[in-house]
Amino acid sequence: MLKRPIVPYQRRILHKMASLSQTKELFRRAEAVCFDVDSTVIKEEGIDELAKFCGVGDAVTEMTRKAMGGSMTFKKALTERLSIIRCSREQVNKLITDHPPQLTPGVRELVDRLHERNIKVFLISGGFRCIVEHVATQLNIPLHHVYANRLKFYFNGEYAGFDESQPTAESGGKGKVISLLKEQYGFKTVVMIGDGATDLEACPPASAFIGFGGNVVRPQVKERSSWYVTSFGELLKELEKI
């Protein structure tokens, strides 16, 4: 019997399926899992919430959309957004107290399960360390497993910029952090999970990338992810196969 040749479209589907099974396997045997924070571990974008709190929400939300869509370098978008917000230390503290970040459903259970399996969990964020540390504490993630941007303030509490030396302040910064983790801990298999362009570009050096669309779907990330999930329950289910 003659076999029909596989047409290019079918080849793409087969390649996608192979990549999906490989990604799932890498996730099941990961030594470390790195999560993005804004719109992944938490429901909102921290910088947008800070902007709203400071009364400049609309201007900043549009710029976040461009940054996450990859149409502007991350550092440029961060610099421009912060120059609009110009938040004081007091405003940041009040935001965390009055409007604490909301965890995405299922993330606490997933992180607990990963910890039970002795898989190291890291938070790698282009957001702000003061907010991300609050999230890490809720999830029992050690603070030395947090990589995020640091806001700078003058002695009187006024905004003084951000620490531009942090790897997370740059496009490609999340990948730099993962390279550092592999070097520091000797990890062979590291999985990155996130919703945005900066998360996707962290693979490689991450062994695999899982796109997350539970809070917001970014089409170009969904398109380029071999495994794209819309709930953390899908990842928990996969871990049960071990």
Side-chain angles (χ1 to χ4, degrees):
M1 183 179 146
L2 287 170
K3 286 187 181 175
R4 273 198 214 158
I6 295 174
V7 298
Y9 175 68
Q10 287 174 312
R11 263 196 212 102
R12 283 205 302 276
I13 291 173
L14 288 170
H15 174 68
K16 190 98 168 171
M17 283 165 69
S19 300
L20 174 62
S21 61
Q22 284 163 2
T23 304
K24 286 184 172 186
E25 191 188 332
L26 286 164
F27 176 62
R28 288 195 303 269
R29 58 184 178 85
E31 295 163 273
V33 174
C34 300
F35 289 88
D36 168 51
V37 177
D38 295 337
S39 295
T40 300
V41 168
I42 62 173
K43 292 179 181 180
E44 58 273 309
E45 287 286 327
I47 195 163
D48 291 350
E49 294 305 303
L50 185 57
K52 268 187 248 171
F53 194 74
C54 296
V56 289
D58 291 347
V60 170
T61 300
E62 176 58 22
M63 217 172 280
T64 297
R65 194 184 60 73
K66 285 182 183 172
M68 294 309 294
S71 62
M72 173 187 295
T73 70
F74 184 80
K75 194 174 204 172
K76 185 178 191 309
L78 184 60
T79 306
E80 289 187 14
R81 287 178 294 177
L82 284 172
S83 67
I84 295 168
I85 301 170
R86 302 196 66 78
C87 51
S88 66
R89 183 188 276 121
E90 189 187 346
Q91 284 173 313
V92 174
N93 291 341
K94 195 162 166 47
L95 170 73
I96 294 167
T97 307
D98 295 0
H99 302 281
Q102 301 297 301
L103 292 177
T104 301
V107 73
R108 195 191 296 275
E109 293 80 357
L110 177 58
V111 170
D112 285 350
R113 189 71 52 84
L114 291 168
H115 280 154
E116 278 168 24
R117 294 179 184 276
N118 209 23
I119 297 164
K120 305 292 181 204
V121 177
F122 296 85
L123 299 179
I124 308 179
S125 175
F128 307 124
R129 191 173 181 94
C130 46
I131 296 172
V132 178
E133 283 187 348
H134 179 83
V135 174
T137 303
Q138 286 181 279
L139 295 171
N140 296 314
I141 294 169
L143 296 186
H144 67 277
H145 284 199
V146 170
Y147 292 83
N149 290 314
R150 292 178 187 273
L151 291 170
K152 296 197 292 194
F153 301 98
Y154 291 112
F155 68 93
N156 64 357
E158 285 181 10
Y159 175 69
F162 65 96
D163 181 355
E164 297 191 25
S165 70
Q166 295 295 315
T168 47
E170 302 268 2
S171 293
K174 291 179 181 179
K176 283 180 194 159
V177 172
I178 289 172
S179 291
L180 180 79
L181 294 177
K182 288 170 93 170
E183 199 178 300
Q184 196 175 327
Y185 294 92
F187 296 139
K188 295 281 185 288
T189 311
V190 180
V191 174
M192 179 75 204
I193 300 171
D195 69 289
T198 59
D199 309 312
L200 179 66
E201 69 182 13
C203 178
S207 317
F209 170 73
I210 300 167
F212 183 76
N215 294 307
V216 59
V217 174
R218 306 195 194 277
Q220 79 288 0
V221 175
K222 184 176 183 180
E223 227 168 77
R224 291 171 59 196
S225 302
S226 55
W227 190 15
Y228 193 82
V229 301
T230 52
S231 82
F232 286 121
E234 294 172 66
L235 300 183
L236 272 167
K237 203 178 288 180
E238 198 57 39
L239 284 180
E240 283 163 15
K241 295 179 184 175
I242 298 173

